[in-house]
Amino acid sequence: MLELSQEELAELAGVGRQTIVRIEAGGKGVAFDAVDRVRAALEKAGVIFLPSTSDHGPGIARRKSNSAN
């Protein structure tokens, strides 16, 4: 969605690239703090995390740009 490499996301989140690899593989052995840092970096970059409802599971969206088209 953001077209970030693992290296770029790791840098934005202040974690190692291997942490991103582990999260992408299912999150085993990843500290909660690291997941929070990655989520915060993604939110800062424009990702919105959507909670699940009775009609659908959790999801993500991209925040609309504030610039006029």
Side-chain angles (χ1 to χ4, degrees):
M1 177 184 292
L2 297 176
E3 298 184 21
L4 294 173
S5 69
Q6 290 175 336
E7 291 83 7
E8 291 167 326
L9 179 55
E11 185 174 325
L12 289 173
V15 300
R17 188 186 68 79
Q18 280 302 112
T19 298
I20 304 301
V21 170
R22 287 195 307 271
I23 290 171
E24 288 180 348
K28 294 186 184 222
V30 180
F32 289 120
D33 178 60
V35 174
D36 286 342
R37 293 168 108 188
V38 172
R39 180 178 175 140
L42 290 169
E43 288 175 336
K44 186 174 182 181
V47 173
I48 300 168
F49 290 85
L50 305 169
S52 60
T53 69
S54 60
D55 295 325
H56 62 78
I60 59 171
R62 186 161 185 186
R63 186 179 325 116
K64 288 185 177 181
S65 173
N66 289 335
S67 62
N69 291 333

PDB file of all heavy atoms in Angstrom, residues 15-34:
ATOM      1  N   VAL A  15      13.279  -0.177  14.218  1.00  0.00           N
ATOM      2  CA  VAL A  15      13.502  -1.585  14.536  1.00  0.00           C
ATOM      3  C   VAL A  15      14.404  -2.177  13.468  1.00  0.00           C
ATOM      4  O   VAL A  15      14.647  -1.565  12.431  1.00  0.00           O
ATOM      5  CB  VAL A  15      12.168  -2.381  14.607  1.00  0.00           C
ATOM      6  CG1 VAL A  15      11.249  -1.800  15.674  1.00  0.00           C
ATOM      7  CG2 VAL A  15      11.464  -2.423  13.271  1.00  0.00           C
ATOM      8  N   GLY A  16      14.879  -3.382  13.707  1.00  0.00           N
ATOM      9  CA  GLY A  16      15.703  -4.062  12.718  1.00  0.00           C
ATOM     10  C   GLY A  16      14.861  -4.667  11.607  1.00  0.00           C
ATOM     11  O   GLY A  16      13.683  -4.969  11.794  1.00  0.00           O
ATOM     12  N   ARG A  17      15.482  -4.873  10.453  1.00  0.00           N
ATOM     13  CA  ARG A  17      14.766  -5.464   9.324  1.00  0.00           C
ATOM     14  C   ARG A  17      14.254  -6.856   9.671  1.00  0.00           C
ATOM     15  O   ARG A  17      13.167  -7.253   9.263  1.00  0.00           O
ATOM     16  CB  ARG A  17      15.654  -5.531   8.078  1.00  0.00           C
ATOM     17  CG  ARG A  17      14.870  -5.961   6.832  1.00  0.00           C
ATOM     18  CD  ARG A  17      15.756  -6.171   5.616  1.00  0.00           C
ATOM     19  NE  ARG A  17      16.629  -7.316   5.762  1.00  0.00           N
ATOM     20  CZ  ARG A  17      16.239  -8.588   5.580  1.00  0.00           C
ATOM     21  NH1 ARG A  17      15.001  -8.867   5.266  1.00  0.00           N
ATOM     22  NH2 ARG A  17      17.108  -9.571   5.724  1.00  0.00           N
ATOM     23  N   GLN A  18      15.010  -7.604  10.466  1.00  0.00           N
ATOM     24  CA  GLN A  18      14.575  -8.946  10.859  1.00  0.00           C
ATOM     25  C   GLN A  18      13.270  -8.905  11.650  1.00  0.00           C
ATOM     26  O   GLN A  18      12.474  -9.830  11.592  1.00  0.00           O
ATOM     27  CB  GLN A  18      15.662  -9.668  11.642  1.00  0.00           C
ATOM     28  CG  GLN A  18      16.744 -10.261  10.765  1.00  0.00           C
ATOM     29  CD  GLN A  18      16.194 -11.238   9.743  1.00  0.00           C
ATOM     30  OE1 GLN A  18      16.205 -10.980   8.544  1.00  0.00           O
ATOM     31  NE2 GLN A  18      15.688 -12.367  10.200  1.00  0.00           N
ATOM     32  N   THR A  19      13.033  -7.827  12.378  1.00  0.00           N
ATOM     33  CA  THR A  19      11.766  -7.674  13.096  1.00  0.00           C
ATOM     34  C   THR A  19      10.619  -7.582  12.104  1.00  0.00           C
ATOM     35  O   THR A  19       9.568  -8.206  12.298  1.00  0.00           O
ATOM     36  CB  THR A  19      11.805  -6.429  14.002  1.00  0.00           C
ATOM     37  OG1 THR A  19      12.839  -6.606  14.973  1.00  0.00           O
ATOM     38  CG2 THR A  19      10.477  -6.192  14.702  1.00  0.00           C
ATOM     39  N   ILE A  20      10.811  -6.847  11.030  1.00  0.00           N
ATOM     40  CA  ILE A  20       9.778  -6.731   9.994  1.00  0.00           C
ATOM     41  C   ILE A  20       9.552  -8.096   9.355  1.00  0.00           C
ATOM     42  O   ILE A  20       8.404  -8.506   9.140  1.00  0.00           O
ATOM     43  CB  ILE A  20      10.169  -5.688   8.918  1.00  0.00           C
ATOM     44  CG1 ILE A  20      10.456  -4.315   9.549  1.00  0.00           C
ATOM     45  CG2 ILE A  20       9.102  -5.603   7.830  1.00  0.00           C
ATOM     46  CD1 ILE A  20       9.307  -3.723  10.331  1.00  0.00           C
ATOM     47  N   VAL A  21      10.619  -8.828   9.081  1.00  0.00           N
ATOM     48  CA  VAL A  21      10.511 -10.166   8.503  1.00  0.00           C
ATOM     49  C   VAL A  21       9.687 -11.068   9.421  1.00  0.00           C
ATOM     50  O   VAL A  21       8.787 -11.775   8.963  1.00  0.00           O
ATOM     51  CB  VAL A  21      11.914 -10.776   8.254  1.00  0.00           C
ATOM     52  CG1 VAL A  21      11.817 -12.246   7.886  1.00  0.00           C
ATOM     53  CG2 VAL A  21      12.654  -9.988   7.176  1.00  0.00           C
ATOM     54  N   ARG A  22       9.973 -11.029  10.726  1.00  0.00           N
ATOM     55  CA  ARG A  22       9.236 -11.877  11.676  1.00  0.00           C
ATOM     56  C   ARG A  22       7.763 -11.473  11.766  1.00  0.00           C
ATOM     57  O   ARG A  22       6.885 -12.326  11.847  1.00  0.00           O
ATOM     58  CB  ARG A  22       9.899 -11.839  13.050  1.00  0.00           C
ATOM     59  CG  ARG A  22      11.203 -12.628  13.082  1.00  0.00           C
ATOM     60  CD  ARG A  22      11.689 -12.905  14.491  1.00  0.00           C
ATOM     61  NE  ARG A  22      11.796 -11.748  15.347  1.00  0.00           N
ATOM     62  CZ  ARG A  22      12.873 -10.976  15.455  1.00  0.00           C
ATOM     63  NH1 ARG A  22      13.961 -11.235  14.757  1.00  0.00           N
ATOM     64  NH2 ARG A  22      12.876  -9.950  16.268  1.00  0.00           N
ATOM     65  N   ILE A  23       7.481 -10.179  11.749  1.00  0.00           N
ATOM     66  CA  ILE A  23       6.079  -9.720  11.780  1.00  0.00           C
ATOM     67  C   ILE A  23       5.353 -10.221  10.534  1.00  0.00           C
ATOM     68  O   ILE A  23       4.235 -10.731  10.621  1.00  0.00           O
ATOM     69  CB  ILE A  23       5.996  -8.185  11.902  1.00  0.00           C
ATOM     70  CG1 ILE A  23       6.463  -7.747  13.293  1.00  0.00           C
ATOM     71  CG2 ILE A  23       4.581  -7.687  11.615  1.00  0.00           C
ATOM     72  CD1 ILE A  23       6.631  -6.251  13.447  1.00  0.00           C
ATOM     73  N   GLU A  24       5.964 -10.084   9.370  1.00  0.00           N
ATOM     74  CA  GLU A  24       5.343 -10.529   8.127  1.00  0.00           C
ATOM     75  C   GLU A  24       5.120 -12.039   8.112  1.00  0.00           C
ATOM     76  O   GLU A  24       4.203 -12.529   7.467  1.00  0.00           O
ATOM     77  CB  GLU A  24       6.189 -10.114   6.923  1.00  0.00           C
ATOM     78  CG  GLU A  24       6.146  -8.626   6.648  1.00  0.00           C
ATOM     79  CD  GLU A  24       6.991  -8.215   5.458  1.00  0.00           C
ATOM     80  OE1 GLU A  24       7.799  -9.040   4.958  1.00  0.00           O
ATOM     81  OE2 GLU A  24       6.854  -7.061   5.025  1.00  0.00           O
ATOM     82  N   ALA A  25       5.951 -12.775   8.847  1.00  0.00           N
ATOM     83  CA  ALA A  25       5.843 -14.234   8.892  1.00  0.00           C
ATOM     84  C   ALA A  25       4.858 -14.722   9.953  1.00  0.00           C
ATOM     85  O   ALA A  25       4.697 -15.912  10.135  1.00  0.00           O
ATOM     86  CB  ALA A  25       7.217 -14.841   9.133  1.00  0.00           C
ATOM     87  N   GLY A  26       4.228 -13.818  10.646  1.00  0.00           N
ATOM     88  CA  GLY A  26       3.235 -14.228  11.626  1.00  0.00           C
ATOM     89  C   GLY A  26       3.482 -13.714  13.027  1.00  0.00           C
ATOM     90  O   GLY A  26       2.690 -13.981  13.928  1.00  0.00           O
ATOM     91  N   GLY A  27       4.554 -13.016  13.237  1.00  0.00           N
ATOM     92  CA  GLY A  27       4.771 -12.336  14.499  1.00  0.00           C
ATOM     93  C   GLY A  27       5.315 -13.157  15.648  1.00  0.00           C
ATOM     94  O   GLY A  27       5.359 -12.671  16.768  1.00  0.00           O
ATOM     95  N   LYS A  28       5.748 -14.394  15.420  1.00  0.00           N
ATOM     96  CA  LYS A  28       6.281 -15.195  16.519  1.00  0.00           C
ATOM     97  C   LYS A  28       7.626 -14.647  16.969  1.00  0.00           C
ATOM     98  O   LYS A  28       8.498 -14.358  16.166  1.00  0.00           O
ATOM     99  CB  LYS A  28       6.416 -16.652  16.105  1.00  0.00           C
ATOM    100  CG  LYS A  28       5.078 -17.284  15.837  1.00  0.00           C
ATOM    101  CD  LYS A  28       5.200 -18.761  15.574  1.00  0.00           C
ATOM    102  CE  LYS A  28       3.826 -19.268  15.223  1.00  0.00           C
ATOM    103  NZ  LYS A  28       3.496 -20.504  15.824  1.00  0.00           N
ATOM    104  N   GLY A  29       7.761 -14.480  18.284  1.00  0.00           N
ATOM    105  CA  GLY A  29       9.020 -14.004  18.833  1.00  0.00           C
ATOM    106  C   GLY A  29       9.257 -12.519  18.682  1.00  0.00           C
ATOM    107  O   GLY A  29      10.384 -12.062  18.796  1.00  0.00           O
ATOM    108  N   VAL A  30       8.211 -11.749  18.421  1.00  0.00           N
ATOM    109  CA  VAL A  30       8.344 -10.300  18.253  1.00  0.00           C
ATOM    110  C   VAL A  30       7.796  -9.610  19.506  1.00  0.00           C
ATOM    111  O   VAL A  30       6.683  -9.884  19.934  1.00  0.00           O
ATOM    112  CB  VAL A  30       7.578  -9.797  17.008  1.00  0.00           C
ATOM    113  CG1 VAL A  30       7.727  -8.296  16.858  1.00  0.00           C
ATOM    114  CG2 VAL A  30       8.066 -10.513  15.763  1.00  0.00           C
ATOM    115  N   ALA A  31       8.583  -8.716  20.072  1.00  0.00           N
ATOM    116  CA  ALA A  31       8.165  -7.970  21.263  1.00  0.00           C
ATOM    117  C   ALA A  31       6.988  -7.053  20.929  1.00  0.00           C
ATOM    118  O   ALA A  31       6.917  -6.487  19.833  1.00  0.00           O
ATOM    119  CB  ALA A  31       9.325  -7.148  21.807  1.00  0.00           C
ATOM    120  N   PHE A  32       6.053  -6.939  21.878  1.00  0.00           N
ATOM    121  CA  PHE A  32       4.901  -6.058  21.675  1.00  0.00           C
ATOM    122  C   PHE A  32       5.338  -4.633  21.368  1.00  0.00           C
ATOM    123  O   PHE A  32       4.733  -3.949  20.550  1.00  0.00           O
ATOM    124  CB  PHE A  32       3.984  -6.056  22.900  1.00  0.00           C
ATOM    125  CG  PHE A  32       3.236  -7.341  23.086  1.00  0.00           C
ATOM    126  CD1 PHE A  32       3.395  -8.081  24.243  1.00  0.00           C
ATOM    127  CD2 PHE A  32       2.368  -7.819  22.118  1.00  0.00           C
ATOM    128  CE1 PHE A  32       2.710  -9.268  24.428  1.00  0.00           C
ATOM    129  CE2 PHE A  32       1.675  -9.006  22.285  1.00  0.00           C
ATOM    130  CZ  PHE A  32       1.857  -9.736  23.448  1.00  0.00           C
ATOM    131  N   ASP A  33       6.406  -4.178  22.009  1.00  0.00           N
ATOM    132  CA  ASP A  33       6.913  -2.821  21.770  1.00  0.00           C
ATOM    133  C   ASP A  33       7.299  -2.637  20.307  1.00  0.00           C
ATOM    134  O   ASP A  33       7.027  -1.588  19.721  1.00  0.00           O
ATOM    135  CB  ASP A  33       8.108  -2.538  22.682  1.00  0.00           C
ATOM    136  CG  ASP A  33       8.698  -1.165  22.445  1.00  0.00           C
ATOM    137  OD1 ASP A  33       7.966  -0.163  22.619  1.00  0.00           O
ATOM    138  OD2 ASP A  33       9.889  -1.083  22.060  1.00  0.00           O
ATOM    139  N   ALA A  34       7.917  -3.644  19.721  1.00  0.00           N
ATOM    140  CA  ALA A  34       8.325  -3.550  18.316  1.00  0.00           C
ATOM    141  C   ALA A  34       7.103  -3.462  17.409  1.00  0.00           C
ATOM    142  O   ALA A  34       7.081  -2.674  16.451  1.00  0.00           O
ATOM    143  CB  ALA A  34       9.192  -4.743  17.938  1.00  0.00           C
TER     144      ALA A  34
END
